[in-house]
Amino acid sequence: MELRNCRKCRKLFISISERNICQECCEKKEKNYDRILEYLNKNPNASVEDICEATKTTKNNVAELVKNEKIALTVSFEYKCEICGKKIKMGKACPECKKKVSNELNKAIDKVKKEEGEAKARDLATKFALNLRDKQKGRR
Ligand SMILES: [Zn+2]
Ligand SMILES: [Zn+2]
């Protein structure tokens, strides 16, 4: 457990897991997501502008859901790769960056495995994933 500032409203809250937003914002987000999902079920070909207007949400919220692969849009909707900034339509990073990151990680893990053993390599994999996430957070 640790005390953190909510990423959305900046309020202090006690984080029990990996969460970086407070309970209130989390609930708001869930409701938002439900609304968007419901709207998309009824209007599968809705544009992003339609979704924002009908569900009182922002393009950023919609982009976040697409990035996390929670929703899929039939219309074309582009946003930036979190690493290089190139326009993409799916996932958090473009295929090139994804490949680069996993190549780097595999190389590093292989090296550690040879030099320091399996357990250390697993350690590194976890740390690397956390690092990357923090880096991406800072870019927003
Ligand atoms: Zn909050
Ligand atoms: Zn990229």
Side-chain angles (χ1 to χ4, degrees):
M1 269 209 284
E2 98 185 79
L3 213 54
R4 287 190 197 173
N5 277 100
C6 168
R7 216 181 72 193
K8 283 213 175 335
C9 70
R10 298 279 142 214
K11 205 168 69 181
L12 263 185
F13 74 104
I14 297 167
S15 175
I16 27 171
S17 55
E18 285 289 293
R19 224 169 59 192
N20 48 26
I21 59 172
C22 70
Q23 183 66 29
E24 238 171 89
C25 290
C26 196
E27 274 167 25
K28 246 188 245 168
K29 217 171 140 181
E30 289 288 307
K31 267 184 211 149
N32 228 343
Y33 169 50
D34 285 346
R35 269 207 307 268
I36 293 172
L37 209 60
E38 205 187 298
Y39 181 74
L40 269 178
N41 279 337
K42 285 182 202 152
N43 310 278
N45 296 316
S47 71
V48 179
E49 285 77 15
D50 290 339
I51 299 170
C52 292
E53 211 187 296
T55 62
K56 306 263 179 291
T57 188
T58 62
K59 273 192 186 180
N60 279 343
N61 280 335
V62 179
E64 206 180 312
L65 290 172
V66 177
K67 272 186 209 171
N68 292 321
E69 287 162 37
K70 296 231 185 197
I71 59 170
L73 301 179
T74 54
V75 293
S76 100
F77 176 46
E78 293 182 322
Y79 49 87
K80 287 178 181 167
C81 161
E82 291 195 358
I83 298 169
C84 72
K86 205 169 80 180
K87 292 255 171 113
I88 50 169
K89 293 178 182 172
M90 232 181 75
K92 288 186 180 177
C94 68
E96 286 88 7
C97 287
K98 269 188 197 160
K99 214 165 135 189
K100 229 190 283 169
V101 168
S102 68
N103 277 347
E104 271 172 40
L105 177 60
N106 286 337
K107 251 187 257 162
I109 290 177
D110 270 357
K111 194 165 168 254
V112 172
K113 220 187 251 176
K114 269 184 215 133
E115 289 167 8
E116 300 174 64
E118 195 91 18
K120 279 259 179 178
R122 254 200 309 275
D123 235 38
L124 181 77
T126 327
K127 245 181 241 158
F128 194 92
L130 287 176
N131 263 340
L132 181 75
R133 222 179 41 206
D134 284 347
K135 240 182 249 160
Q136 290 174 352
K137 244 187 257 163
R139 275 172 187 267
R140 259 180 232 160

